[in-house]
Amino acid sequence: MNDFKKHLRRILIIALIIFFCYILQTSVLSRYPLAGVTPNILICVVATYGFMKGRRYGILIGFCTGLLLDIYSGVLFGLYALVYMYIGLLNGLFKKQFFGDDLRLPMILIGTSDLIYGVLSYFVLFTIRSQKDFSFYFMNVIMPEVVYTLVVSIFVYYAILHINNWIEKFEKKGSDRIGNY
């Protein structure tokens, strides 16, 4: 029963993080575009949980985050769930190389994830409409979004890292208490 409570608490905290970042991305940051783009904070969340906690977390969080975007975007239902799920899976492959304080790997993975997201979005959403100016889209939308996302992701990454460390410390303290009885 105690494991169930720990998992439920962790799930609720992750759901709140996803929801908070979704609101932040779609309302606050969309009012302040830089070079015509807004950062993709949800990519930061999916990538961070993927390489921090592994493939299973990456897939589940990616799917749920993408599903949230699918529900509210009205584009091709399931597209974002699939893309974010695979991004979570790919980042989960790097769990063994992850060290919390080293910022290089998270930035490389988040930047690559946003680049993959941008390229896939272009090919799925724009080639369907026969708009084929990839070089223009790449230089004016994808790359500025990657840069903006990387700048914002430093803060998002450290926030998620601290929340995750707090949860693990809290869970360890709780299991130590139980072990002492």
Side-chain angles (χ1 to χ4, degrees), residues 2-143:
N2 195 25
D3 281 344
F4 176 74
K5 286 182 180 180
K6 283 196 289 190
H7 289 298
L8 184 61
R9 184 180 307 121
R10 185 176 288 274
I11 289 169
L12 288 174
I13 290 171
I14 292 171
L16 286 171
I17 290 170
I18 292 170
F19 184 71
F20 176 76
C21 289
Y22 173 78
I23 296 298
L24 189 64
Q25 179 174 316
T26 58
S27 61
V28 177
L29 292 173
S30 66
R31 291 180 181 244
Y32 304 105
L34 188 65
V37 296
T38 58
N40 193 339
I41 297 175
L42 294 172
I43 284 286
C44 301
V45 173
V46 171
T48 300
Y49 273 108
F51 58 73
M52 234 173 31
K53 303 300 281 177
R55 292 180 303 214
R56 186 176 303 153
Y57 269 83
I59 290 169
L60 288 171
I61 291 171
F63 179 76
C64 293
T65 302
L67 195 61
L68 180 67
L69 285 171
D70 282 330
I71 290 169
Y72 290 106
S73 72
V75 183
L76 290 171
F77 191 78
L79 172 69
Y80 292 122
L82 190 64
V83 169
Y84 277 69
M85 184 178 71
Y86 279 116
I87 287 173
L89 170 69
L90 290 173
N91 281 282
L93 297 174
F94 291 92
K95 181 183 182 215
K96 291 185 184 197
Q97 289 81 25
F98 171 70
F99 299 102
D101 295 336
D102 188 12
L103 197 58
R104 289 176 295 187
L105 181 66
M107 292 302 106
I108 290 169
L109 292 176
I110 290 170
T112 303
S113 297
D114 197 28
L115 185 65
I116 291 169
Y117 166 80
V119 170
L120 287 174
S121 295
Y122 172 80
F123 282 114
V124 171
L125 299 175
F126 290 105
T127 55
I128 290 173
R129 298 182 200 145
S130 299
Q131 297 174 349
K132 296 183 181 175
D133 195 1
F134 180 72
S135 60
F136 176 81
Y137 189 79
F138 185 79
M139 293 307 294
N140 293 302
V141 177
I142 295 174
M143 288 312 293

Side-chain angles (χ1 to χ4, degrees), residues 139-154:
M139 293 307 294
N140 293 302
V141 177
I142 295 174
M143 288 312 293
E145 181 182 303
V146 168
V147 171
Y148 197 3
T149 298
L150 282 173
V151 170
V152 172
S153 70
I154 294 170

